[in-house]
Structure formats: C-alpha cells, structure tokens
Amino acid sequence: MLCDVFDYPLINNLPKLNVNRLVLWLRAKFGTYFYPAVCYLVWTVVGWYRKYRYLGFRYFVRDWGQSFYRIMSPLPWIQYQIHKECLALRKSLKQSFQLKDSSTAIQLPEEGACSEEIINTASKAVTLEQNTWKSGYCSGCVYHGEPAHLQLLDKVSNMYSISNPLHPDVWPSLRRMESDIVSMTSQLLGGDVCPDVCGSTTSGGTESIILAVKAHREWALENKVVDDSMQVIIPTTAHAAFFKACDLLQLEARLVEVDPITQQVNPNDVEAMIEPNTILLVASAPNFHSGVIDPIEDLGAIANKYHIGLHVDCCLGGFFLPFMRELGHFVPPFDFRVTGVTSMSVDTHKYGYAPKGSSVVLFGSQKLRQDMYFCYPDWSGGLYCTPTLAGSRPGSLIAGCWASLVYLGKSGYLKITGEIIATREYLVQQITQRVPEISILFGAPTMIITLGSTDYNIYSIGDGMSQRGWHLNQLQHPNAIHLCLTRLHAQTGVAEKFITDLVEVVGEVKLKDNSKTGKASVYGMTQSLPDAPVSELLKYYMDIVLDE
Ligand SMILES: *Cc1c(COP(=O)(O)O)cnc(C)c1O
C-alpha cells in the first residue's frame, strides 16, 4: 500500500515521507524495471538541470507550454481563439500588402502581353516602391541604393542573366569572378595571414550558415566519435538561420542565454555545455539583435581545447568591421586570425552592397570546405557534384556582386563605413539629449541602434514611427525596436528626420498612455503565449504572403 511509505507521528499530524520504505515499495511494484527506471529519471532530471541552468525559467515555461499546448490544442475553444487571431491578422495585413484583387493574372494568359505593357506595369510598381526605401526610411533592407552604383550592378548582372556557374566550361569568366569574390572577402577577414582560408559564394546568409553547419557535421562524422545525436551550441542572440540549419540537418540546437546587460554570450556557460557529441560553437560579429560582438577569442580558445568547430556569423560585419578598424575604431579580433575559428558567413548583399541573393561562406581549411560539397557519382544523369545547396545557380548575382566589390574598392567601403558610423554617433548623441524617455540599449558601437524604454511601450513608439513611414525592426527578449543603419541613412536630412519624428512620437505616446494597437498588440500577445500557437499564427501569415 502506498500509504505505508509515510510515517504518521503521533503529535504532529503531517505525514512524513520515509524514503527507505518508498524505495522498497517501488521495487516491489516495478520489480526488475526499478533500477533502469531510476537511472532514466535521474538522467532526465540532470539533463533538464544542465539545459535550463544556462537558459533560465522563461525557456522552461516555453518548452513545457509547448507540450501542454500540443495536448490541449484539439479543444474547440482553443481552435476558436486561434481562428479569431488569424482573422484579425489577415485584416491588419490586408492594407499593408494590398492583397490581390480579381484583375491579377491567376492563370497563364492565352496570348502573351506585349513587352511595353509588361515594362509599364513593372515600372509603375517599382517606382512607387522605391519611395519607401530610397529616402532611407527602412532599417537594413537596402544597403547602398545610390543610382550610379545600382545602374552598374544592373548592367553587369544583365549581361550574365542566363549564365549558370554549374557550367564553368561555358562561362569561365563567371568562375573567375566567383573565386575573386571569395578571395577578396577572405583577404579582409584573416585570409591574408591564414593562406588556407577558402570558400564559396551562396544565395544569402542563411545558405552560408546551413552549409557551414553541414560541413561541420560531415567533419564530425568522419573525425570524431559521435553517434547521431550531435549538438551545436548557439547563443540566444544568434540568427534564426542556425536553428533552421539544425532543423534541416537534424542536429540538436543547444541554446545559451546571453548576459542581459552586454548581450554577449559568456564563454564559461558555453564551455559548461560542451559534451562529447558537441560539434560546433556559434558566435556573431555582430549579432542582428543588438549589434554586439561576442567574445570570439575566448570562444576560439574553447573550440580549440575541445577540438570542435567555431562558426563566426559575420553576415552583418564582414564588410563593415574591417573598415571600421581601419578608420581607427576599436574592433576586437573576430576573424580567422583568432585561433579556433573554423568557418565564417559574410553577406555580400548587405554591407558588400551587392544585389540581393549573394553571400560568402568561408572555411579555415580546404578539407572542411570539401565537407560542404554534395557528390553523387552514381547518378544516371552523369557524375554529379555541387558546392552549395542549389544545383543551377544565378550567374547574374555573382557578376553583380563582383562588380560591386571592384567598383567600390577599399576607399569606397571606407567612405561609406565612416559615414554610417558618423550617423550613428549623431543619432546616439541626439537621442540621449533630446529623448530621455528612450534608452539606447547595449551600447554596441557598430551599425545598429537598439531602442528600449522602461516607461513606455516601445512597440507603441515603433507603431508611431511606422505611421510616419519608418520601417524599423521589432525585437523581443527584451522588448525593443532597432534601426540597422545603411548608406541611405547617411544621406542629408535622414537622421535629423528620424530624431524629429521620434521626439513627436514619444510626445504622442506620453499623452495616449501606452495604447496597445497595431504591431504593439500583436507582439504583446505573442509574448504572453507559448511558442506553439505563435508558430501557427506565423504559418498563417506565411500562407497569406504566398497566396493572396
Ligand atoms: C542577415 C543576417 C543573416 C542571414 O541572412 P539572410 O541573407 O537573410 O539569409 C545571418 N546572420 C546575421 C547576423 C544577419 O544579419
């Protein structure tokens, strides 16, 4: 009987658990399964402890909330709530996306349209859309956008619009351009002192990251004793692409929480998480969230000590930090010069000012780069081997990227980087002086300004800025908005306009007393929900973007 495992003292009537008797009772009950079950239980609890020790309570609630939601989600009431949220989302998106009316082409037209008509339609739309980004109202998004630069990229890409680097024999010039891009990039990031650095162009930061993770997985399968439960240790500030990579490659993504003040990952926390099956550490230089650079040197030493990889995500910083350093600003070591760094991702389509769809993935050795390739020599279509995820690739983007790098040159990059840093310093100074209600978070000295507020709903302030035409990024954990500065923000008058708008908006929000409309409410709601229903909402959002 279960009650036998309790003692019932005569005076104190609260029963007391007698552990010895509990063990005897369990053993009698579960027989031979007892010890294995205890081991399993202890193992599970120790695992939880190790996991949440470096993540905190919020992640515990998130994970368990997800399991709970999975059990409860068939309930009609929950389904109804989700449905209601989806409808509200659709209504609010209808305006901003100008969802299709019946006149758009749903089927292939019976007869083709004439080229003037097509050019007219496209040109009208594009001219209208240019107004949004040209004036510098977007965070990130378009990074250069000056007409002469744009025209050159268009012209050169045009010449290669049907080219495909899958056939280097047909377009040998394209092969040359790709190796030039990789070489110019690596020379900026330690390739000058580490001659083994090599890489490939890809379609964007996400692909670069997926490929770097894949290469490390293949490397680990060949060189380390690992079973198929390999882990990657990822700071919470790292880009979502790392989770996509782990999802696709079936690796376990082990999150580490960052320091709430500095937003840097703590190397000791990372080291404590390493297990025999850990294959890769991740760091950002800088991260998208706050523009902060992780302590790459310390992480490199750890990666070296445990003989595992370290990927430095330099998607934002690759064509920014080297020039920032050359301009005399302090930039801590972050590239292949740091021992232990095995791969890097660098977005040429961000501060490399190339056309969209262009990035570079770099490796510390050719052997590791080979682990990125996919080979299938048995294919009926012939011997098959590709470096990246795609088969056929757009040569036009390689040509456009090459044109951007060669056209701007070092002096061009130095000039723009200097302008962006000056704009940032101006904004920081003005906000500190004129908008004391807003705090600049994390003090990262790169290209991102993160704004928070302890007194007001920062998303309401973001909404107010949206109404004035600004497209800022909404962040969470902690709640903040940010502006990722580009060349367009360095144009005359843009930073001044940002400040006057911000002053106005804060004044309004003060009066309205934390109104909760628009994006503010969407974020407010999603923050209070576990991840699973939010994912459903996001999927619904994606359906609308793709279909309507
Ligand atoms: C933009 C970015 C990425 C991913 O880039 P995509 O080109 O959008 O795939 C990865 N990491 C950081 C830090 C970024 O800013």
Side-chain angles (χ1 to χ4, degrees):
M1 280 259 291
L2 180 57
C3 62
D4 286 349
V5 305
F6 293 106
D7 286 330
Y8 296 92
L10 289 173
I11 302 169
N12 187 347
N13 49 11
L14 273 181
K16 226 171 120 195
L17 182 72
N18 185 325
V19 178
N20 284 343
R21 259 186 257 155
L22 175 68
V23 170
L24 284 175
W25 180 79
L26 285 169
R27 220 151 55 184
K29 195 97 184 139
F30 296 103
T32 46
Y33 296 113
F34 177 67
Y35 286 110
V38 168
C39 288
Y40 180 75
L41 205 72
V42 170
W43 182 245
T44 312
V45 173
V46 167
W48 286 345
Y49 173 72
R50 288 198 57 200
K51 179 171 177 191
Y52 295 112
R53 188 175 158 198
Y54 296 106
L55 278 177
F57 188 61
R58 183 165 67 76
Y59 286 88
F60 186 78
V61 171
R62 180 195 72 169
D63 293 354
W64 286 94
Q66 211 144 308
S67 310
F68 183 69
Y69 174 77
R70 221 165 282 146
I71 298 167
M72 303 305 277
S73 61
L75 289 181
W77 183 81
I78 292 190
Q79 287 299 317
Y80 172 69
Q81 294 302 324
I82 296 275
H83 180 68
K84 227 170 59 180
E85 287 300 335
C86 285
L87 290 183
L89 180 67
R90 187 167 186 282
K91 209 170 137 199
S92 73
L93 289 179
K94 202 163 177 171
Q95 185 105 49
S96 62
F97 290 167
Q98 303 166 10
L99 299 181
K100 250 184 236 173
D101 54 41
S102 53
S103 69
T104 35
I106 291 171
Q107 281 182 342
L108 210 54
E110 287 301 327
E111 298 293 333
C114 68
S115 51
E116 286 86 30
E117 197 183 321
I118 295 169
I119 290 171
N120 243 337
T121 313
S123 130
K124 250 196 244 155
V126 170
T127 314
L128 211 71
E129 287 159 3
Q130 270 180 0
N131 296 336
T132 314
W133 61 262
K134 261 201 170 156
S135 41
Y137 277 15
C138 297
S139 169
C141 200
V142 178
Y143 288 73
H144 195 287
E146 186 245 338
H149 178 259
L150 204 57
Q151 259 171 29
L152 174 79
L153 302 199
D154 288 348
K155 209 163 188 174
V156 178
S157 325
N158 256 343
M159 293 181 213
Y160 284 87
S161 62
I162 47 154
S163 70
N164 181 357
L166 190 63
H167 307 286
D169 46 339
V170 183
W171 288 282
S173 62
L174 206 55
R175 191 192 68 79
R176 191 66 267 148
M177 283 174 176
E178 177 166 21
S179 78
D180 281 355
I181 294 169
V182 172
S183 160
M184 285 188 270
T185 309
S186 80
Q187 291 290 309
L188 287 177
L189 300 169
D192 48 346
V193 287
C194 316
D196 291 339
V197 175
C198 54
S200 166
T201 67
T202 70
S203 66
T206 301
E207 190 183 356
S208 293
I209 288 167
I210 292 171
L211 289 169
V213 177
K214 174 196 183 278
H216 281 93
R217 189 186 68 164
E218 307 302 314
W219 164 81
L221 282 171
E222 287 162 30
N223 296 292
K224 274 175 75 86
V225 190
V226 280
D227 54 39
D228 53 6
S229 63
M230 292 175 262
Q231 305 132 6
V232 182
I233 299 183
I234 309 174
T236 51
T237 46
H239 196 273
F242 288 101
F243 302 95
K244 195 187 244 186
C246 288
D247 191 46
L248 287 171
L249 297 163
Q250 302 204 333
L251 302 170
E252 185 195 340
R254 281 248 162 128
L255 271 174
V256 204
E257 188 58 288
V258 294
D259 184 295
I261 307 294
T262 64
Q263 290 284 300
Q264 285 183 324
V265 70
N266 181 343
N268 291 333
D269 292 355
V270 171
E271 184 167 6
M273 282 200 150
I274 294 174
E275 281 186 13
N277 283 355
T278 303
I279 60 166
L280 179 65
L281 309 180
V282 168
S284 312
N287 67 49
F288 170 79
H289 178 263
S290 51
V292 163
I293 304 172
D294 282 317
I296 311 285
E297 275 184 305
D298 295 341
L299 294 169
I302 294 171
N304 217 20
K305 180 171 159 193
Y306 292 93
H307 196 51
I308 52 182
L310 169 61
H311 180 87
V312 179
D313 181 15
C314 231
C315 280
L316 278 178
F319 279 84
F320 194 90
L321 299 182
F323 303 112
M324 193 174 155
R325 180 184 283 153
E326 202 158 328
L327 288 168
H329 299 271
F330 173 71
V331 176
F334 67 96
D335 55 23
F336 285 105
R337 273 169 278 238
V338 176
T339 322
V341 173
T342 47
S343 61
M344 292 181 83
S345 41
V346 188
D347 276 0
T348 33
H349 68 195
K350 286 181 182 159
Y351 293 93
Y353 310 118
K356 273 287 175 280
S358 166
S359 173
V360 174
V361 58
L362 295 173
F363 296 96
S365 76
Q366 278 194 326
K367 184 71 203 61
L368 192 56
R369 181 174 64 173
Q370 283 189 356
D371 288 324
M372 165 180 79
Y373 303 157
F374 172 79
C375 297
Y376 190 64
D378 280 344
W379 187 38
S380 55
L383 301 177
Y384 190 84
C385 185
T386 54
T388 58
L389 289 182
S392 293
R393 290 189 290 155
S396 56
L397 294 175
I398 292 175
C401 175
W402 183 84
S404 179
L405 300 189
V406 174
Y407 174 66
L408 290 170
K410 233 184 196 166
S411 63
Y413 284 104
L414 280 170
K415 181 165 174 286
I416 302 172
T417 308
E419 287 171 5
I420 291 175
I421 292 173
T423 310
R424 186 180 187 285
E425 279 163 2
Y426 170 81
L427 284 172
V428 168
Q429 182 242 340
Q430 289 288 309
I431 292 171
T432 322
Q433 259 182 21
R434 297 178 53 189
V435 210
E437 297 86 350
I438 299 251
S439 38
I440 296 170
L441 304 179
F442 321 128
T446 49
M447 69 297 269
I448 287 175
I449 298 187
T450 311
L451 307 177
S453 176
T454 41
D455 305 333
Y456 302 101
N457 182 345
I458 193 69
Y459 296 138
S460 302
I461 293 169
D463 279 350
M465 293 300 276
S466 301
Q467 280 156 19
R468 283 166 178 73
W470 292 90
H471 295 249
L472 306 179
N473 296 89
Q474 257 95 7
L475 315 171
Q476 41 181 349
H477 320 307
N479 292 0
I481 52 178
H482 89 196
L483 175 65
C484 177
L485 294 167
T486 69
R487 195 200 70 91
L488 292 165
H489 299 107
Q491 299 175 116
T492 26
V494 179
E496 287 80 359
K497 179 86 170 73
F498 185 84
I499 297 294
T500 38
D501 283 351
L502 192 64
V503 171
E504 260 181 53
V505 168
V506 170
E508 271 174 22
V509 170
K510 258 184 189 169
L511 289 180
K512 267 198 279 180
D513 179 40
N514 285 356
S515 75
K516 292 223 163 123
T517 54
K519 285 218 179 73
S521 61
V522 171
Y523 264 84
M525 185 205 69
T526 58
Q527 289 229 315
S528 62
L529 286 174
D531 275 11
V534 179
S535 294
E536 268 182 51
L537 224 62
L538 290 176
K539 284 179 186 170
Y540 185 74
Y541 166 88
M542 220 60 254
D543 284 346
I544 292 177
V545 171
L546 290 175
D547 292 343
E548 297 198 27

